[in-house]
Amino acid sequence: MTIAAPADVTLVQLKRYGELIYRKIGVAISEQKATLLSNRLRRRLRVLGLDCYDKYFRLLSNASPDADEWQAFLQEITTHETYLFRDQSNWDWLRGTYIPEIQAEARKKQRTTTLRIWSAACSTGDEAATVACCLVDAIHSSNPLNVEIVGTDIGAATVIEAATTTFGERAMRLVPDTYRKRYFDKMKDGAFWVLKSSLRDLMKFKVHNLLDPIRESAFDLIFLKNVLIYFDRASKKRVLQRVREALWPGGYLITGAAEGVSDLLDEYESIRGWLHRLPTNA
Ligand SMILES: C[S@@+](CC[C@H](N)C(=O)[O-])C[C@H]1O[C@@H](n2cnc3c(N)ncnc32)[C@H](O)[C@@H]1O
């Protein structure tokens, strides 16, 4: 028997789900998102054979925080759009300015040779893979660095996908030909590319909620892009506090163009609109 799909959520249901989502991941759901939310919830109802949003709400409210359904719900209601080499200016800076700077400091023994980078809210790992390509390309073998790249996301399914470091043609569209040849293998089906294992070995992925502290040693560089746009001011502040705790003094934070956080980054030196440096004495 097919179960009829319900119409869009009512205002009361929207508010209830909105509060649940906000409390869990800090994402704010406005009234304009009613249809989008309904479409996404309907997919879970269909999978579970449920006929109304209230039943699903009860199921979620009674589920333990680490239940599989919570993972499926978060995966469904978040936006995962990403691709390699998003925002060319980031990568030009990384290759042309940042790596030479780090290598010069390491040569003069002003820093260790370990370089730790966090791709926060990494979705399917496209940003982390781009970091790996740019670093391997820019680091001179005469002056090696020990690179560790950590990618994290709230969506368990995206994290599993990220760990495969496999990308379709759409995600690969901005990857220069030289990089494709050097750092990826084309899969037999011809539709997918997989990052070479020497680059994959630099990376690890794990589930993490940006509202919580990340249990990792501090990072030299943090990417926090295209995620805070979905957060309200209070959640943005909370995430930025977590990020601040995870960044070494003198470290850099890269934000997305539309994040709406410029007035929350007073502690940082603003290098460019998207590039912020924590003072060395912070
Ligand atoms: C649009 S993608 C951005 C991917 C990548 N940073 C980029 O700029 O291409 C946003 C990601 O943020 C994740 N996300 C949303 N809320 C989160 C939270 N509270 N903690 C961690 N990740 C979150 C979503 O699961 C989604 O994969």
Side-chain angles (χ1 to χ4, degrees), residues 232-250:
D232 72 352
R233 199 172 164 81
S235 312
K236 283 180 195 196
K237 276 189 177 170
R238 187 164 155 195
V239 171
L240 287 171
Q241 179 55 31
R242 298 305 185 202
V243 164
R244 161 73 182 82
E245 290 159 6
L247 189 60
W248 280 117

Side-chain angles (χ1 to χ4, degrees), residues 24-27 74 78-83 86 119-124 127 152-155 158 208-211 224-227 230-231:
K24 187 78 176 175
I25 61 169
V27 169
L74 295 178
T78 43
T79 301
H80 303 284
E81 166 70 5
T82 186
Y83 47 92
R86 189 176 199 173
S119 171
C122 68
S123 187
T124 43
E127 185 177 87
T152 64
D153 199 277
I154 190 84
T158 42
H208 169 253
N209 186 342
L210 287 172
L211 297 176
L224 180 67
K225 293 176 57 191
N226 304 301
V227 60
Y230 306 110
F231 288 55

Side-chain angles (χ1 to χ4, degrees), residues 39 69 87-88 116 120 185 221 234 241 267:
N39 289 338
E69 189 49 41
D87 302 324
Q88 187 59 44
R116 283 177 52 76
D185 292 315
L221 172 61
Q241 179 55 31
E267 213 184 333

Side-chain angles (χ1 to χ4, degrees), residues 39-169:
N39 289 338
R40 291 173 169 186
L41 287 177
R42 271 194 286 269
R43 288 202 277 266
R44 288 314 304 154
L45 297 190
R46 209 175 307 130
V47 171
L48 296 167
L50 296 177
D51 59 359
C52 81
Y53 300 114
D54 291 340
K55 284 185 189 161
Y56 186 52
F57 185 82
R58 275 196 296 278
L59 185 152
L60 271 180
S61 308
N62 294 329
S64 79
D66 53 359
D68 288 350
E69 189 49 41
W70 263 109
Q71 286 300 341
F73 171 65
L74 295 178
Q75 179 72 28
E76 197 61 76
I77 55 152
T78 43
T79 301
H80 303 284
E81 166 70 5
T82 186
Y83 47 92
L84 289 100
F85 282 88
R86 189 176 199 173
D87 302 324
Q88 187 59 44
S89 50
N90 296 178
W91 314 112
D92 292 343
W93 170 80
L94 190 76
R95 282 179 302 207
T97 306
Y98 185 62
I99 292 303
E101 198 176 287
I102 293 289
Q103 289 197 296
E105 286 173 11
R107 219 172 17 245
K108 289 188 232 150
K109 307 251 181 292
Q110 289 168 345
R111 58 159 295 131
T112 68
T113 51
T114 296
L115 181 61
R116 283 177 52 76
I117 300 179
W118 179 17
S119 171
C122 68
S123 187
T124 43
D126 307 42
E127 185 177 87
T130 312
V131 170
C133 292
C134 291
L135 291 184
V136 169
D137 192 58
I139 294 172
H140 295 297
S141 48
S142 57
N143 207 347
L145 291 172
N146 173 27
V147 173
E148 298 169 3
I149 303 165
V150 180
T152 64
D153 199 277
I154 190 84
T158 42
V159 167
I160 290 170
E161 195 179 330
T164 67
T165 63
T166 303
F167 305 97
E169 198 51 59

